[in-house]
Amino acid sequence: MIKKINNIYNELSKPQLNSKKIGLFITLCSIFGGLLVAYLAMSLLTFIIPGTIGEAILIPLLLNTLAWAISALWIALSPSKIIALKRTFFPILLFSIAIIILYTR
């Protein structure tokens, strides 16, 4: 079992051989991971901006596409698959924890 996990980790941590092509795995991580990171960041922004929800939602709606593009590009420029996974899951986890903390206050 541990040997299989090590094989998977070694396969994911290998850098891309041809850096001109982005793999399907990194592309899907960048599209969907960037989308989740952008939506969670904009949800967190609605909690942080003072005022009513109707006023506070205007800025995140305008910035959502920019945040999605930036986060998707940041994930897509990963040299290996494991770094793409880390760039996807760590911000999602961080924003989720921050939203839960602010929501329960």
Side-chain angles (χ1 to χ4, degrees), residues 47-101:
F47 281 114
I48 294 173
I49 295 176
T52 63
I53 292 293
E55 296 170 354
I57 204 160
L58 182 63
I59 294 172
L61 279 174
L62 295 174
L63 292 177
N64 190 27
T65 54
L66 177 67
W68 186 10
I70 290 171
S71 60
L73 180 66
W74 179 59
I75 294 169
L77 292 177
S78 302
S80 67
K81 294 176 185 176
I82 195 77
I83 294 174
L85 280 174
K86 288 178 184 178
R87 287 183 180 183
T88 301
F89 286 114
F90 287 149
I92 289 173
L93 186 66
L94 178 77
F95 286 134
S96 298
I97 290 171
I99 288 171
I100 290 170
I101 289 171

Side-chain angles (χ1 to χ4, degrees), residues 1-104:
M1 181 71 174
I2 293 176
K3 189 169 184 121
K4 190 172 187 175
I5 293 173
N6 283 337
N7 288 339
I8 293 172
Y9 182 79
N10 289 335
E11 183 66 32
L12 289 175
S13 64
K14 283 194 286 188
Q16 298 291 327
L17 297 176
N18 188 359
S19 60
K20 293 181 182 180
K21 283 179 22 180
I22 298 175
L24 180 65
F25 182 77
I26 293 178
T27 304
L28 291 176
C29 277
S30 68
I31 291 171
F32 294 114
L35 180 66
L36 282 172
V37 168
Y39 274 122
L40 288 173
M42 295 305 120
S43 298
L44 182 64
L45 199 57
T46 58
F47 281 114
I48 294 173
I49 295 176
T52 63
I53 292 293
E55 296 170 354
I57 204 160
L58 182 63
I59 294 172
L61 279 174
L62 295 174
L63 292 177
N64 190 27
T65 54
L66 177 67
W68 186 10
I70 290 171
S71 60
L73 180 66
W74 179 59
I75 294 169
L77 292 177
S78 302
S80 67
K81 294 176 185 176
I82 195 77
I83 294 174
L85 280 174
K86 288 178 184 178
R87 287 183 180 183
T88 301
F89 286 114
F90 287 149
I92 289 173
L93 186 66
L94 178 77
F95 286 134
S96 298
I97 290 171
I99 288 171
I100 290 170
I101 289 171
L102 286 176
Y103 187 72
T104 57

